Amino acid sequence: MLTDHFRPQSFNGIDDIVIVGGGLAGLFCALKLAPRPVTILAAAPIGYGASSAWAQGGIAAAMSKGDTFEKHVADTVAAGAGIVDEKMTRMMVAEGPARIHDLLEFGVPFDRDLEGKLLLSREAAHSERRIVRVKGDMAGKSIMEALIAAVRNTPSIRVIEGYVVEELVREGRFISGVIARPDAGQSKSRVSFPARAVVLCSGGVGHLYAVTTNPWEACGQGVGMAARAGAIIADPEFVQFHPTAIDIGKDPAPLATEALRGDGATLINSEGRRFMLDIHPDGELAPRDIVSRGVFAEVQAGRGAFLDCTKAVGRHFPEMFPTVYASCMAAGIDPVRQPIPVTPAVHYHMGGVLTDGEGRTSIDGLWAAGEVTSTGVHGANRLASNSLLEAVVFAARIAENIKGSLPAPKLTAWGDNAGENDDPVTVEDSPPFKMLRQLMSDCVGVVRTRESLTRAIRGIAELERTNKRLRFANIVTTAKLIAIAALQRTESRGGHFRADCPDERPEWRRRTYLTLAQAERLAAEVAESEPA
């Protein structure tokens, strides 16, 4: 639907800049572009279909007296397992405090101490307390609420909700607009939106997998669309599994925030043993990939894994972590007195559309920000709470770049598109999508092998052959890029673990760059080879 409140009369159905996605990166970019006319296309009502709104931990920024930019960069590089782009990271970290102040001006109620100073907490792999939070575990929800209110009060921003963008329109070397399907993707017709600048902020890939903490809309469509348009995709094999999704059979899985472990909660198995102490000297505060594999091993062994907050948080749980508390109590678990059953779940994608320091992709006219991108700041394993920081920093840089490169708005009419007027498919309910999710979890999950990845690539090829819908093609394209890159990287690094290649290899201390054409050739080679 087109929300009337967001339809200033001056637009009259015309566009200059189109932002795809109504999450943190998209809204922040639109606000930074004001008063320039901007149209945001969102698949779901803004604030409901974005992973940003579900983020519990907060935003990392070096703002305390004992902290420095150098320390924040060093922690990011260490977590990223050798392939972090340090130049991009320094830029992001240096601009972090300014973006926190922007969010404060937009009305975000970050936690403060009795003197009114920002209250900073610590999370895994951070050497200092630098996480800015809201009521313990409500940062994402509170940030989104503040930005949505700011967008509603900005007349230059038009939000069109319930439009699923299915295709980037390319003319020569330029992206010249998008094509979207109304009615939450259920309309039989589509609408074209010509634009001089398209900003892709469409989110991550969590729902490519059977167990994820991400909303339904995070199914990799943005990466697939960009790849199909010819964009370079970077580091797609690096998928981060959050080690402490609450294991109560819900889809998406509720999250037990990392901040709980930062405040002293421990991981135990059904025998009551703290198994992480046998795996890493930092125990529960080891990097997420290591903790995820530790939890995965206990679950696979039948011992189960549990987050014990009874001593570290105890009776303060309801007020300190209300979101987690509510999820547990709804499932009949009292975290004040009982350990919480947990399992690894896909949480974040370090890979995505390659962008430079200004958020520009490899195709002119297309910028990108947020989880759909790969800026290089996360390397092989994102440092906790750097994701929201990356989203606001690069969204702001995109706004400045567009203002500089396209100084004068040029408005273009939009209307019905003649192509692809067919019966749509509800992707999340379709058998092929369910098959894809299970295939990715089974074969391209926490632990991978050449055999499992080969099986995944062959399964993906069969799903492509038998399902020709454009929206599914975008989704399965992203799955293919992840699986191909994982097969090519014959080592283990960060979020990518190969049981048949368990060590890091120096020749792979580099990023992955892949186009769809290259992935197609590699997939064809796998299809023609003997079964593993």
Side-chain angles (χ1 to χ4, degrees), residues 268-271 273 297-306:
I268 60 173
N269 60 22
S270 58
E271 300 166 358
R273 185 171 60 84
E298 295 300 312
V299 172
Q300 289 293 102
R303 292 185 291 270
F306 303 84

Side-chain angles (χ1 to χ4, degrees), residues 473-505:
N474 289 332
I475 293 168
V476 80
T477 291
T478 304
K480 182 196 304 181
L481 290 161
I482 293 170
I484 286 290
L487 179 64
Q488 290 293 106
R489 185 174 285 273
T490 52
E491 66 155 3
S492 293
R493 185 182 298 272
H496 168 72
F497 183 79
R498 288 275 298 262
D500 52 346
C501 307
D503 301 317
E504 289 186 2
R505 293 171 58 183

Side-chain angles (χ1 to χ4, degrees), residues 353-499:
V353 184
L354 178 67
T355 62
D356 66 8
E358 311 305 323
R360 295 174 296 199
T361 73
S362 57
I363 311 175
D364 288 339
L366 180 65
W367 287 256
E371 193 175 348
V372 74
T373 70
S374 180
T375 61
V377 301
H378 302 309
N381 191 34
R382 174 180 66 96
L383 181 66
S385 291
N386 266 357
S387 54
L388 299 188
L389 174 65
E390 180 199 37
V392 293
V393 165
F394 286 94
R397 294 186 71 83
I398 287 170
E400 288 304 309
N401 188 251
I402 289 175
K403 287 177 180 177
S405 57
L406 302 174
K410 181 181 179 181
L411 305 177
T412 310
W414 57 274
D416 291 339
N417 183 65
E420 192 77 12
N421 290 333
D422 57 8
D423 293 327
V425 174
T426 303
V427 172
E428 57 267 26
D429 292 336
S430 68
F433 186 47
K434 292 177 181 177
M435 291 171 63
L436 178 64
R437 294 184 71 194
Q438 196 60 55
L439 182 67
M440 292 296 286
S441 285
D442 291 344
C443 300
V444 200
V446 176
V447 176
R448 306 162 176 180
T449 64
R450 179 180 181 275
E451 180 182 0
S452 74
L453 294 167
T454 299
R455 192 162 66 248
I457 293 164
R458 289 188 171 131
I460 287 167
E462 179 61 20
L463 286 170
E464 283 185 304
R465 187 184 67 78
T466 55
N467 299 274
K468 301 297 184 181
R469 298 289 184 181
L470 180 56
R471 206 184 319 169
F472 186 76
N474 289 332
I475 293 168
V476 80
T477 291
T478 304
K480 182 196 304 181
L481 290 161
I482 293 170
I484 286 290
L487 179 64
Q488 290 293 106
R489 185 174 285 273
T490 52
E491 66 155 3
S492 293
R493 185 182 298 272
H496 168 72
F497 183 79
R498 288 275 298 262

Side-chain angles (χ1 to χ4, degrees), residues 76-251:
T76 302
V77 169
I83 61 168
V84 167
D85 186 321
E86 289 195 41
K87 181 179 178 182
M88 294 280 275
T89 303
R90 289 181 190 282
M91 180 180 69
M92 177 186 74
V93 166
E95 295 179 13
R99 301 291 77 82
I100 296 296
H101 286 295
D102 285 341
L103 291 170
L104 286 167
E105 289 181 7
F106 287 132
V108 178
F110 288 123
D111 293 343
R112 298 177 183 269
D113 62 18
L114 295 176
E115 296 178 351
K117 297 177 181 177
L118 288 173
L119 195 61
L120 303 172
S121 63
R122 186 185 171 205
E123 289 184 354
H126 285 273
S127 59
E128 299 287 343
R129 300 182 73 87
R130 65 169 68 98
I131 314 303
V132 187
R133 299 194 295 189
V134 180
K135 295 180 182 177
D137 62 3
M138 298 182 67
K141 181 176 184 291
S142 298
I143 290 168
M144 288 297 293
E145 286 175 349
L147 292 189
I148 290 168
V151 164
R152 286 186 175 131
N153 290 317
T154 305
S156 60
I157 301 173
R158 176 180 60 172
V159 176
I160 304 181
E161 297 167 312
Y163 274 58
V164 177
V165 176
E166 295 183 338
E167 191 173 356
L168 297 171
V169 180
R170 181 165 180 169
E171 296 180 7
R173 46 189 279 263
F174 292 92
I175 294 297
S176 59
V178 303
I179 299 175
R181 195 181 294 276
D183 301 329
Q186 295 307 296
S187 174
K188 291 186 177 182
S189 63
R190 304 196 303 165
V191 177
S192 63
F193 292 82
R196 297 176 75 203
V198 174
V199 185
L200 192 61
C201 303
S202 54
V205 305
H207 270 273
L208 287 179
Y209 289 79
V211 183
T212 180
T213 63
N214 294 172
W216 277 102
E217 289 75 12
C219 57
Q221 284 204 71
V223 172
M225 274 192 297
R228 286 164 60 85
I232 296 171
I233 307 302
D235 303 333
E237 67 268 42
F238 295 113
V239 178
Q240 185 174 78
F241 290 78
H242 198 292
T244 55
I246 305 174
D247 190 12
I248 52 177
K250 290 191 69 176
D251 184 21

